Amino acid sequence: MKIQVLSDDMASRIAAGEVVERPASAVKELIENSLDAGATEIFVLIEKSGTSLIRVSDDGEGMAPEDLNLAVERHATSKLKVDEDLFRIATLGFRGEALPSIGSVSKLQVVSRAPNAPTGQKVCVEGGRKGEMLPTAAAFGTSIEIQDIFFNTPARRKFLKAPATELSHICDAVNRMALAYPGVHFRLEHDGRTVADYVSVNDGKDRLYQVFGREIAKGLAAFDWRQGELAAHGFLSSAPLSFPNARYLYTFVNRRYVRDKVLTHAVLQGYETLLMKGQYPAVVLFLDLPFGDVDVNVHPAKFEVRFRRQSDVHEAVARAIRHALRQEAKEPAPRGETISSNYFSGVREAALPYGLLTRPAQNDPPRAYGDVFVLPPRPERQEGFYSSMRVLGQILGCYLVCASSQGLALIDQHAAHERIAFEKLRRQMDAGKVAMQNLLIPQTVRLSAGEMMLLEQKLDILQRFGFDLEPFGPDAYAINSVPALLPEGDYSQVVRQMVADLAEVDTSGKLREHLEDRLATIACHSVIRANRMLEMDEMRALLNELDQIDFATQCPHGRPVLIEISRDELERMFKRIV
Ligand code: ADP
Ligand code: MG
């Protein structure tokens, strides 16, 4: 016999490895339990970055003695009653694994008192061995203590990162839950210092101020998009606020924080061409949909989900973001303070020594802190913003110099033209009719056998862009017409490029993105590149056109169209003020 059945103890430890990867995972599981128990106050106390002590106390519904006794057993849960429940999970927990897993790799103590119980009860588990349940004095609610996590799994302990890193993971775990539950008071204490204290607030926006601090929170605007049973809402940054990584991109599904490629992709796609390559927005996305439409039972740590209608979800999220950004571009939300300062008072400072949280100085102009660079709020664009400018002239063959209501405005005419062409083309595409120009003499594009096959399948898509193509012998297509926007030239290059891109298109989501990319390429091709002196009426026409389109402050590659220098900034430059 080679095969042996694992001992219970070994099986638990293996299972625990998936649920409790590091102290922060235990914190996450305990907070989930508190939230499931309806807590309004959750207090997390940490010592030595969680390695020596983690204690999570709540004022939730608590457990009756019989329940407490069962709670630390494997696969014991109060959250699934009938089989079907697994397919419509409404709680954060459901696997009945967290407490026993934690108990198998630490010294665990659970104290709980249900509302009408005369006293509390306590049960301990050490390295998987459960002790006797005993009455004890306790407040209503539950308090769970984890000592010496991984004391019996040295390998896992060795893999832990530097204390500051582990602590930052714990902060992240708390922050994510806090974002999704603004009505709950969260407090995090580490080695006797308060790291976070987020009092209960009614408005999710106020929670952003608590968690992110003012500098970032004030740059985020609320959005809310509903379509049938699906709601995508939350907060997002518009163009001026961006980051070199995705750390301010949070996605929640039915208030559960998840890391999901589909959602992240959809969010980024919603931004389309508004961000420069390699830049990420700050987004807190809450996606709410019927419990039955999402499977959360994918991974023990419950960070992943599967959507029943993935492409619908993708589509809806991208659309929600795009819509919100369009609104923002039209009527930027006021970016001033909306909150009294005690929400982000001294406590955030306490975290600074660990380099975990950034606390920018108040009222400061653009500044880099950590890896975050925040530009000042965009000047609010009025109706007729561009056309109200006084054109002073053109310099270097490519910049318009104008007087705006704020001061001096410089406009990159190439970027402006690109954005105008892009928006025109997009509008035409959305309306299903792209203006085409017929070629008097069709051009031919030679293609490989693979490209031929691809093109045959994608002809209709190319048609939507305004390309009319037809087979021309075994290894070529004839180009009969092209988008009217394209200037005269050799079109085979553009067609070949598009075929190559379409090869990678599979899901509808990706398609849209590729179309956008292609649109940007066409827009780019459509602009006469050579520097050119513009007549006054051409410049005026350009400004008028910019007022007609959305996103007129960025070219389709995310470069700015406009740079404005205000009176203040000018005076500072001339040292009239400091
Ligand atoms: P799950 O959350 O998946 O059900 P856990 O092992 O995390 O599994 O918890 C087991 C059970 O213990 C829960 O179903 C719940 O009934 C109970 N429980 C755990 N933590 C708390 C708490 N903070 N307050 C009330 N009940 C709790
Ligand atoms: Mg749980």
Side-chain angles (χ1 to χ4, degrees), residues 29 33-34 36-37 58 61-63 71 76-79 93-100 142 144:
E29 292 294 334
N33 283 345
S34 298
D36 281 343
D58 67 50
E61 65 185 10
M63 285 173 265
T77 177
S78 55
K79 299 169 196 175
F94 58 89
R95 300 173 61 98
E97 267 184 344
L99 293 184
T142 304
I144 300 186

Side-chain angles (χ1 to χ4, degrees), residues 146-353:
I146 303 169
Q147 281 182 46
D148 299 332
I149 193 166
F150 304 133
F151 79 97
N152 56 349
T153 50
R156 186 49 65 95
R157 208 173 47 225
K158 262 199 277 189
F159 276 102
L160 291 182
K161 298 274 188 320
T165 310
E166 292 303 332
L167 182 56
S168 89
H169 284 294
I170 292 174
C171 289
D172 285 346
V174 173
N175 283 345
R176 287 169 191 151
M177 307 276 191
L179 286 172
Y181 290 83
V184 174
H185 180 180
F186 286 84
R187 192 142 63 89
L188 172 62
E189 217 180 281
H190 178 248
D191 287 346
R193 307 166 70 157
T194 304
V195 176
D197 192 359
Y198 309 145
V199 299
S200 158
V201 288
N202 288 324
D203 187 349
K205 176 91 195 203
D206 294 343
R207 187 46 58 96
L208 296 186
Y209 277 83
Q210 299 171 324
V211 174
F212 295 149
R214 175 176 156 270
E215 201 64 25
I216 289 175
K218 75 173 186 204
L220 299 180
F223 67 97
D224 194 343
W225 169 270
R226 274 153 217 275
Q227 187 177 41
E229 292 181 299
L230 199 144
H233 57 107
F235 304 90
L236 48 63
S237 60
S238 43
L241 187 66
S242 66
F243 307 88
N245 53 42
R247 68 182 251 225
Y248 286 98
L249 211 163
Y250 293 81
T251 50
F252 297 84
V253 174
N254 291 336
R255 289 177 110 185
R256 176 195 307 280
Y257 172 82
V258 296
R259 303 192 191 106
D260 184 77
K261 286 211 185 83
V262 175
L263 290 184
T264 309
H265 186 271
V267 167
L268 293 178
Q269 195 188 303
Y271 275 82
E272 301 175 323
T273 50
L274 278 182
L275 291 166
M276 297 236 264
K277 273 240 154 13
Q279 287 294 108
Y280 292 83
V283 176
V284 179
L285 167 74
F286 296 107
L287 179 71
D288 297 331
L289 69 179
F291 295 117
D293 281 1
V294 52
D295 185 1
V296 291
N297 187 21
V298 179
H299 186 269
K302 299 167 289 184
F303 275 128
E304 285 168 41
V305 290
R306 299 257 190 284
F307 296 110
R308 200 151 64 88
R309 289 179 306 209
Q310 174 170 321
S311 57
D312 288 356
V313 165
H314 186 285
E315 177 78 28
V317 168
R319 202 178 291 173
I321 301 277
R322 205 175 298 136
H323 179 81
L325 289 168
R326 233 165 250 270
Q327 287 307 109
E328 263 290 282
K330 285 197 190 114
E331 39 191 282
R335 280 160 202 281
E337 256 114 312
T338 57
I339 192 168
S340 61
S341 59
N342 62 338
Y343 287 127
F344 47 95
S345 59
V347 296
R348 296 173 59 82
E349 222 143 17
L352 280 178

